[in-house]
Amino acid sequence: MWQWFHKLSTPKYYYQWSGKWLPWLAGLTIILFAIGLYWGLLVAPTDYQQGESYRIIYIHVPAAWMSMFVYVVMACAGFVALVWKTKLSEIVVSECAVIGAVFTAIALITGMLWGKPTWGTYWTWDARLTSELILLFLYFGVIAIYSSIEDKRVAAKAASMLAIVGVVNIPIIHFSVNWWNSLHQPNMDIISDKPSMDPSMLWPLLVMAVAFKVYFGWVLFMRIRNEIISRERATKWVKELVVGR
Amino acid sequence: MFSALITIIRRDLLVAFRRRAELMNPILFYVIVVTLFPLGVSPDKEFLSQLAPGVVWVTALLAALISMESIFRQDFDDGSVEQLFLSQHPPTVLILGKVIAHWLITGLPMLIIVPLMALLLYIPQQAIPTLFITVLIGTPILSLIGAIGVALTAGLRGGGVLLGLLVLPLYIPVLIFASGAVSAAITGLPYSGHVALLGAGLILALILAPLAISASLKISMS
Amino acid sequence: MQEFFYMDGKWMYIWGSYAITLAALVLSILFANRRKRKLIREIEDSLEE
Amino acid sequence: MRTQEVSVLSAHDLKCVKGSTELFSNIHFEIRSGEALVVEGSNGSGKTSLLRILCNYNSPAEGQITWNDEKIDGHESYQQQISYIGHASGVKLDLTVLENLVFAQRLVGTDRQESEIKEIIRAVGLFKQRNILARKLSAGQKRRVALARLQLEERQLWILDEPLTALDKDFVTEFESVLKNHLDQNGMLIVTTHRELLLPEAQLKRINLSR
């Protein structure tokens, strides 16, 4: 198993391997999104308390979960990049940073659009929204340091280091923000972390969560392949690939 | 090992004292920023003392951030960073020494102006000891985390702004617990919980930060 | 069907957030695709010289 | 300087890439105790990069470097065998010559008496300037402080990047005898220099990066 994993980390082999998977990922994403959206918007019952606006959770919650999940994936790739110094893991770090920032931005915007009908204002210093905002700053930090260093391999290592320092700090920040929030604000969040909604509302959420993960695989593979072509443009196999197209 | 720590602290303090004029800069910066708040917000006593903990600690974050740059700037320019990694002593010990020296120059002096700040911001008498404790425990954490950021951005242009973007989010827990402790003290509530958490943060930073700084320096040098 | 889109008065927020999310996700894919085509064109040009 | 045990530093098909440009590739060499390697090549051919790779500050894009047949990457004591002088001499401008050397050798892990340090300062011809801030020294004098540090550290492998720059003529010949002395006591040397070094041809090896 280890041999295969090692072989996969060479850009050339990964490019061929991922090429086979791309169409499947694309198709599966579209199917899952279709099912999830249909189920969440049409089938799931109206919430007795919030009425229809709760349906925003079918994109807000998966996006928020993804923003955290992508950061952890980025930190793991960063660890691999610093320890085993594989080119592929370095590329994963820089690409995850952008995708993670997009998911975090989505979670923030949908959180605000959900807050308006529910709490009457777009922005409340609610513990989860505040943590999400800080997570966005952490992503911007990783993107900023990656883009400010010319040599891409050094840039990836610096970004990896920051991602690892960040991932150690995320639980601490999360804990301190929750503590800070409970101190200043009476507990107002309607849906706790683990939605205790009845199954008919819960299932579409899980489907959407899986849809987001498959989508993440799809867009990550595409971005990695682009970066491989860009960095390996001088190699023979890329030239053959381009000519053979 | 311990002697190497003392040696590098003495060396950095000696270097800093050779440019005595610059030693006052962090404190002056701090006092100026603190005086901006009453001017910008309102000089009303009630309002200011409620705002004081946040003002004190947001300013501490900014002062720490601005004075962080000097910790490795000179070492990168004169080439003594490379020598750190050739020593018989582990680089993390030498780096810890450098951070302690930097804290003694920029963090510790904050303690001197705590009474002045309490005066300017109408912080009541009984909260001043808490202010002392939080500054004593909090500022070393700022130096340790800030040094990681400096080690990563040392060779880059636009280092200052980039450093802020990297490091300020990581400063947030210190801000929350330190200002929380001071505001608790002002309102007479117990603040030992906050201080304990700050202490835990300091120990965590003392153990992990030197490793991260050493790795970051190796990355910046490569 | 009409009241489905109305979402008892909160249509702006619900469809707004869905529109923004799906737009962001789709745009990410399109940008990735655009970059790929641009890269391939660049490499083809460099090969011609 | 006490003689040290025999060591071997060898490199196999080294390749170095800076950003997207390749500086040099398939570089091979091997030096034993008592031998010196002169790294030649035009400006920008990667001489400094090679030296930094040999110090393990940077890892090569391809290739292996071994110290006594052990890979230097992750080797726990390889870097402790090295004395390195880069373009910047590693001299603190706000310390005097004496302070620089006292702190440098203590931080590196040797513990010499102040008298010995003053002796070395006299040897490099800076005795009169020993209490002057390094800031006020000329580039050549700063280089001599670095060369003094070299002799204090007593390390086996000297990696010097243009050590003779800005040094005046008469001092160069004296320094060449220091290098020769170092090699004769099982020391090793890797050096880049524009000026020809008068070292016995038998102990010299050369590689050229710009071929």
Side-chain angles (χ1 to χ4, degrees):
Chain A
M1 190 344 232
W2 192 248
Q3 202 47 30
W4 172 80
F5 188 73
H6 193 68
K7 206 151 85 86
L8 187 65
S9 66
T10 50
K12 181 172 185 304
Y13 187 78
Y14 169 82
Y15 192 87
Q16 286 146 9
W17 177 78
S18 57
K20 292 199 285 289
W21 280 98
L22 265 183
W24 293 98
L25 283 172
L28 196 56
T29 306
I30 292 161
I31 294 166
L32 282 171
F33 260 92
I35 298 171
L37 289 178
Y38 176 78
W39 202 341
L41 289 170
L42 290 151
V43 172
T46 317
D47 181 69
Y48 66 92
Q49 213 178 15
Q50 282 186 34
E52 295 300 336
S53 63
Y54 91 97
R55 292 185 193 282
I56 297 178
I57 63 159
Y58 291 125
I59 40 171
H60 172 68
V61 172
W65 284 344
M66 283 311 289
S67 64
M68 197 65 82
F69 174 76
V70 168
Y71 201 100
V72 171
V73 167
M74 179 170 68
C76 296
F79 182 77
V80 168
L82 289 179
V83 174
W84 287 286
K85 298 185 176 58
T86 58
K87 218 176 254 192
L88 186 70
S89 52
E90 287 172 11
I91 293 174
V92 168
V93 171
S94 55
E95 298 312 317
C96 274
V98 176
I99 300 171
V102 168
F103 278 130
T104 317
I106 292 174
L108 271 172
I109 295 167
T110 50
M112 287 161 69
L113 284 172
W114 180 28
K116 182 68 176 159
T118 320
W119 296 321
T121 63
Y122 281 112
W123 180 261
T124 60
W125 286 94
D126 158 72
R128 280 198 316 281
L129 278 182
T130 316
S131 299
E132 204 67 42
L133 183 62
I134 298 169
L135 186 59
L136 188 63
F137 296 150
L138 290 176
Y139 274 117
F140 284 156
V142 174
I143 295 170
I145 190 135
Y146 178 75
S147 48
S148 61
I149 301 174
E150 293 77 29
D151 183 338
K152 281 305 156 223
R153 296 219 64 177
V154 174
K157 291 198 175 69
S160 306
M161 190 71 233
L162 190 61
I164 292 168
V165 169
V167 87
V168 168
N169 272 285
I170 282 182
I172 300 170
I173 291 173
H174 200 65
F175 168 75
S176 45
V177 166
N178 280 340
W179 176 85
W180 160 81
N181 186 268
S182 64
L183 191 70
H184 292 285
Q185 215 134 2
N187 201 318
M188 256 189 8
D189 39 24
I190 309 300
I191 293 183
S192 65
D193 277 348
K194 287 286 159 294
S196 56
M197 313 175 292
D198 62 67
S200 65
M201 292 182 182
L202 198 53
W203 275 110
L205 185 60
L206 297 181
V207 169
M208 285 304 283
V210 175
F212 269 71
K213 283 207 167 37
V214 175
Y215 167 82
F216 168 55
W218 179 19
V219 72
L220 181 64
F221 275 22
M222 284 184 76
R223 291 183 68 96
I224 293 175
R225 288 160 62 86
N226 288 350
E227 191 60 22
I228 288 176
I229 295 176
S230 159
R231 289 198 194 182
E232 308 282 318
R233 63 181 71 195
T235 61
K236 198 165 58 57
W237 71 273
V238 168
K239 286 178 182 148
E240 277 160 14
L241 188 88
V242 168
V243 168
R245 178 166 290 288
Chain B
M1 187 89 71
F2 189 66
S3 67
L5 193 75
I6 300 297
T7 311
I8 199 157
I9 291 176
R10 278 185 50 228
R11 183 195 74 173
D12 273 17
L13 288 182
L14 192 56
V15 167
F17 278 102
R18 281 283 151 75
R19 293 197 292 217
R20 216 164 272 99
E22 289 173 21
L23 285 183
M24 286 299 290
N25 294 356
I27 301 178
L28 294 179
F29 171 84
Y30 197 95
V31 174
I32 293 168
V33 173
V34 166
T35 52
L36 295 182
F37 280 88
L39 296 169
V41 182
S42 96
D44 163 64
K45 178 173 183 346
E46 202 47 50
F47 187 79
L48 258 188
S49 72
Q50 220 221 333
L51 202 68
V55 166
V56 163
W57 271 98
V58 167
T59 316
L61 258 56
L62 297 179
L65 185 67
I66 284 184
S67 55
M68 269 332 293
E69 195 81 36
S70 64
I71 187 170
F72 291 125
R73 163 63 49 220
Q74 217 194 19
D75 296 89
F76 266 92
D77 297 344
D78 59 32
S80 44
V81 176
E82 279 88 348
Q83 304 307 329
L84 283 181
F85 289 95
L86 301 183
S87 156
Q88 302 285 10
H89 309 294
T92 42
V93 168
L94 299 177
I95 286 165
L96 184 60
K98 278 194 75 63
V99 176
I100 293 171
H102 180 268
W103 176 68
L104 291 173
I105 301 162
T106 55
L108 205 56
M110 299 295 172
L111 289 177
I112 302 168
I113 50 174
V114 158
L116 175 64
M117 279 187 299
L119 190 67
L120 293 178
L121 297 171
Y122 299 116
I123 295 178
Q125 209 60 23
Q126 85 271 7
I128 292 184
T130 319
L131 204 53
F132 261 113
I133 299 168
T134 53
V135 167
L136 190 63
I137 300 176
T139 44
I141 307 176
L142 301 183
S143 290
L144 282 161
I145 298 176
I148 303 174
V150 174
L152 282 173
T153 60
L156 308 177
R157 50 194 176 352
V161 174
L162 182 63
L163 182 65
L165 187 60
L166 261 51
V167 158
L168 282 175
L170 305 177
Y171 278 171
I172 287 172
V174 175
L175 173 66
I176 287 176
F177 290 119
S179 55
V182 177
S183 54
I186 288 176
T187 51
L189 291 167
Y191 54 84
S192 52
H194 315 72
V195 171
L197 285 169
L198 272 181
L202 176 58
I203 293 163
L204 193 70
L206 276 170
I207 296 165
L208 295 180
L211 298 169
I213 299 165
S214 164
S216 303
L217 282 175
K218 283 192 186 121
I219 294 170
S220 294
M221 280 189 332
S222 65
Chain C
M1 198 50 194
Q2 207 277 337
E3 87 289 345
F4 163 73
F5 286 106
Y6 183 66
M7 284 283 177
D8 63 47
K10 302 192 180 75
W11 58 275
M12 201 172 71
Y13 308 111
I14 297 169
W15 298 119
S17 47
Y18 272 85
I20 289 170
T21 308
L22 294 180
L25 299 184
V26 169
L27 278 176
S28 310
I29 295 287
L30 295 183
F31 276 132
N33 218 336
R34 202 165 63 87
R35 180 169 184 235
K36 178 169 187 167
R37 282 204 301 278
K38 189 164 71 64
L39 276 171
I40 288 173
R41 230 178 301 114
E42 265 171 37
I43 296 172
E44 270 162 3
D45 298 348
S46 67
L47 287 180
E48 268 143 35
E49 285 115 24
Chain D
M1 215 156 84
R2 42 179 171 66
T3 58
Q4 283 135 337
E5 68 296 334
V6 178
S7 306
V8 179
L9 178 72
S10 55
H12 320 285
D13 50 67
L14 286 185
K15 174 178 171 191
C16 174
V17 174
K18 207 79 163 165
S20 52
T21 55
E22 185 192 288
L23 292 177
F24 56 79
S25 59
N26 44 57
I27 294 292
H28 304 270
F29 69 82
E30 184 173 282
I31 51 171
R32 306 185 158 285
S33 300
E35 288 176 346
L37 175 71
V38 178
V39 179
E40 287 150 348
S42 55
N43 279 344
S45 59
K47 296 200 292 289
T48 300
S49 304
L50 174 62
L51 262 52
R52 289 183 73 88
I53 288 173
L54 293 174
C55 290
N56 201 18
Y57 289 141
N58 200 357
S59 43
E62 276 163 26
Q64 264 327 316
I65 303 168
T66 57
W67 171 258
N68 298 340
D69 305 326
E70 258 184 86
K71 279 204 301 211
I72 64 165
D73 206 4
H75 191 295
E76 82 285 352
S77 68
Y78 170 66
Q79 283 191 313
Q80 280 62 46
Q81 315 294 335
I82 298 173
S83 280
Y84 172 69
I85 300 181
H87 292 308
S89 308
V91 172
K92 284 273 168 205
L93 302 180
D94 291 317
L95 296 178
T96 66
V97 172
L98 183 59
E99 284 164 352
N100 257 302
L101 290 174
V102 164
F103 279 117
Q105 58 90 20
R106 200 175 295 159
L107 283 179
V108 144
T110 55
D111 213 357
R112 309 288 283 272
Q113 297 309 329
E114 204 161 300
S115 55
E116 280 174 80
I117 297 174
K118 284 195 176 119
E119 214 37 61
I120 300 273
I121 292 177
R122 194 190 308 283
V124 293
L126 285 176
F127 194 72
K128 281 204 307 303
Q129 294 83 356
R130 65 188 182 289
N131 293 324
I132 293 174
L133 288 182
R135 180 180 299 286
K136 298 190 177 64
L137 299 179
S138 72
Q141 287 168 323
K142 287 190 190 120
R143 219 50 178 160
R144 289 198 218 168
V145 175
L147 300 183
R149 171 169 60 80
L150 204 58
Q151 294 166 52
L152 277 170
E153 286 172 355
E154 237 185 28
R155 294 284 176 90
Q156 181 165 31
L157 174 57
W158 288 4
I159 299 182
L160 313 178
D161 202 344
E162 304 287 351
L164 304 177
T165 47
L167 282 185
D168 33 36
K169 196 74 200 77
D170 54 14
F171 185 73
V172 168
T173 47
E174 202 192 305
F175 181 63
E176 274 159 358
S177 66
V178 168
L179 290 182
K180 183 148 185 357
N181 194 342
H182 173 65
L183 293 179
D184 293 346
Q185 288 169 354
N186 269 339
M188 296 158 70
L189 170 65
I190 298 173
V191 65
T192 61
T193 177
H194 286 299
R195 233 192 294 223
E196 200 36 47
L197 272 173
L198 288 174
L199 287 171
E201 206 46 38
Q203 290 172 308
L204 262 184
K205 290 190 176 172
R206 296 173 190 282
I207 53 170
N208 194 312
L209 296 186
S210 46
R211 250 203 306 283

